[in-house]
Amino acid sequence: MTDRPLRLRFAPSPTGFFHVGGARTALYNRILATQHGGTLILRIEDTDAERNRPEWTQGIMDALRWIGAEWDEGPYFQSERAGLHHQAAERLYADGLAYYCDCTREQIEARTKGKATPGYDGFCRDRGLGPGPGRALRFRTPREGTTTVVDLIRGTPTFENRLIEDFVIQRGDGSATFILANVVDDMDMKVSHVIRGEEHLPNTPKALLLWEALGGGEPPVWGHVPVLVNEKRQKLSKRRDKVALESYRDEGYLADAMRNYLMTLGWAPPGDREIVPWDVILETFRLEVPGYVDFLFLDEAPDDPASWTKAMTGDAPAILDAAIAAYEACPWDAAVLKEGLEAIGAALGLKLAKAQAPVRVATMGRTVGLPLFESLVLLGRGRTLTRLRTARGRI
Ligand code: GLU
């Protein structure tokens, strides 16, 4: 999946009974770690002192063992790592990447009511406030560019930075917010893959920006797992549906049956079977990978003969030559890459879609897939040029 040692984590917040959706996510993590010889870390995200209770933590650990999602490392307790989170916040402030803010919620609401862009309006961004009682620390989100999440399930969702508010990383009482603690811990624990519920996807561009600001190096590969739904395809709700794993156990369901049930929601082994032995799951489970992000992890572009035949006709050599020349030195930015190819197409009397095809197949392997220019940004200039030249040589 990448070249790094595979390190996964399951990071529950002990705020109640153990949700079956969480149990499924834990199983996914366990299985991937086992399949790829990786390590599964258990991290208890217990920073919300008002909502956390030790018995919930114990309940989660017992339930994880019961369902067979045993961890290899930990448990680590996030509440014991506050010093590390605080250091990271200080560093961001010292580097000018975060700023103090004394706005109250009421003031922010009064200023932003009816505005098109939701969230904090950046009022304190350039006020130069220092630390002080009750002052929150906000991350200085870049106003330009985009942030792309590489997701094994979702592909490469891309977010515009200017739409991401200057979010709080440290509250007025000095405690780290979820997003900061979560990122600092993932960095410190050298997490390579984050498989978690899709409700966290909106947090991920923020996490990536923080990761970069803290100099964390290669960020994790993500996998945002769809939420569990009931037979009416409604999101499971605590009030309507039975969602606590513990209650199934206490009613006498067998762990094997429960695990089988959770694992066959949203995934099916090859062949038509409802009861799947654990060793078959371990061997055949795949994370619903759309097959569209493989181009990022392979040494060369994936080879799809049908796509090749379709794309590499007519003007393809001229397009590839021109793209190689244009992409050698231009800024490596999706909008610039797009403009470049538009101009190449226009010179040949081609619409963008037609001009894109040979470049897409040369770099990503297929005529269909994720947005081309964002993908090239992720692939990087070096690999893009190598693949364009290889394809040109092959025609
Ligand atoms: N503690 C978070 C939760 O329970 C999980 C965060 C994560 O997996 O990154 O929702």
Side-chain angles (χ1 to χ4, degrees):
M1 296 157 85
T2 66
D3 303 336
R4 289 179 281 173
L6 190 85
R7 287 177 61 81
L8 298 140
R9 90 297 195 276
F10 182 61
S13 304
T15 54
F17 287 111
F18 190 32
H19 194 284
V20 284
R24 187 182 63 163
T25 305
L27 282 169
Y28 284 5
N29 276 286
R30 175 65 271 164
I31 293 166
L32 291 172
T34 304
Q35 283 180 340
H36 298 275
T39 304
L40 176 59
I41 299 162
L42 176 63
R43 183 171 77 226
I44 305 291
E45 301 209 319
D46 58 345
T47 49
D48 187 346
E50 275 169 34
R51 292 170 64 215
N52 297 157
R53 280 200 256 137
E55 58 268 35
W56 297 133
T57 299
Q58 193 55 49
I60 291 171
M61 295 202 292
D62 292 345
L64 282 173
R65 290 199 185 97
W66 178 70
I67 198 81
E70 185 87 34
W71 55 97
D72 306 306
E73 197 181 303
Y76 298 109
F77 291 89
Q78 196 159 59
S79 57
E80 293 169 5
R81 305 169 55 81
L84 211 60
H85 308 146
H86 186 64
Q87 271 172 24
E90 297 264 274
R91 192 139 55 84
L92 290 171
Y93 173 63
D95 290 347
L97 298 170
Y99 62 87
Y100 281 97
C101 166
D102 63 359
C103 298
T104 63
R105 182 167 305 171
E106 292 74 24
Q107 289 167 335
I108 299 171
E109 269 167 23
R111 285 200 308 266
T112 56
K113 218 159 72 194
K115 284 240 173 101
T117 329
Y120 184 64
D121 60 351
F123 184 80
C124 293
R125 201 173 156 101
D126 300 311
R127 284 178 68 210
L129 291 179
R135 288 185 183 168
L137 191 61
R138 289 183 181 274
F139 183 67
R140 195 183 290 278
T141 306
R143 299 287 90 186
E144 279 159 14
T146 55
T147 297
T148 297
V149 178
V150 177
D151 191 295
L152 294 169
I153 298 167
R154 301 302 209 88
T156 52
T158 296
F159 299 81
E160 277 193 61
N161 293 338
R162 68 182 176 85
L163 298 179
I164 304 173
E165 67 170 335
D166 287 349
F167 53 94
V168 175
I169 54 175
Q170 185 174 273
R171 299 183 193 90
D173 65 6
S175 64
T177 54
F178 158 73
I179 187 88
L180 180 68
N182 187 262
V183 168
V184 168
D185 286 355
D186 280 345
M187 264 173 59
D188 187 55
M189 294 174 189
K190 303 199 168 30
V191 169
S192 64
H193 290 70
V194 173
I195 312 301
R196 62 179 177 181
E198 70 179 353
E199 68 276 14
H200 284 294
L201 183 59
N203 291 325
T204 310
K206 298 179 184 172
L208 283 168
L209 291 171
L210 276 179
W211 192 281
E212 195 188 333
L214 289 166
E218 195 181 349
V221 172
W222 310 81
H224 287 93
V225 179
V227 294
L228 281 188
V229 292
N230 64 18
E231 56 293 348
K232 293 188 193 128
R233 303 210 59 77
Q234 297 163 318
K235 187 176 172 226
L236 290 190
S237 104
K238 267 190 193 156
R239 253 166 293 137
R240 191 184 46 225
D241 305 293
K242 191 162 64 170
V243 296
L245 187 66
E246 293 94 326
S247 60
Y248 289 90
R249 178 191 60 200
D250 299 345
E251 281 172 27
Y253 282 82
L254 295 177
D256 268 340
M258 198 59 206
R259 186 163 65 182
N260 192 104
Y261 166 71
L262 288 173
M263 286 307 300
T264 51
L265 292 169
W267 170 80
D272 188 16
R273 55 210 289 186
E274 270 182 26
I275 299 179
V276 197
W278 182 234
D279 54 341
V280 173
I281 292 179
L282 271 183
E283 199 171 309
T284 57
F285 176 74
R286 295 289 175 272
L287 199 64
E288 294 149 28
V289 181
Y292 286 158
V293 287
D294 56 353
F295 74 96
L296 276 175
F297 305 111
L298 298 170
D299 290 339
E300 293 172 2
D303 189 17
D304 177 45
S307 294
W308 179 270
T309 313
K310 198 163 149 202
M312 298 302 179
T313 53
D315 290 317
I319 294 169
L320 292 178
D321 284 337
I324 292 165
Y327 290 173
E328 244 159 11
C330 70
W332 205 247
D333 171 274
V336 175
L337 298 176
K338 179 167 178 236
E339 275 166 31
L341 199 56
E342 261 166 354
I344 292 167
L348 294 165
L350 299 173
K351 288 228 165 72
L352 181 61
K354 271 261 177 286
Q356 271 196 38
V359 174
R360 175 185 281 287
V361 171
T363 54
M364 299 168 70
R366 300 182 194 86
T367 48
V368 291
L370 302 167
L372 173 63
F373 302 104
E374 281 78 8
S375 302
L376 296 184
V377 169
L378 290 173
L379 197 58
R381 191 195 306 273
R383 285 198 288 173
T384 298
L385 287 173
T386 305
R387 290 182 188 193
L388 290 173
R389 291 194 184 107
T390 304
R392 179 65 185 89
R394 212 183 122 184
I395 295 181

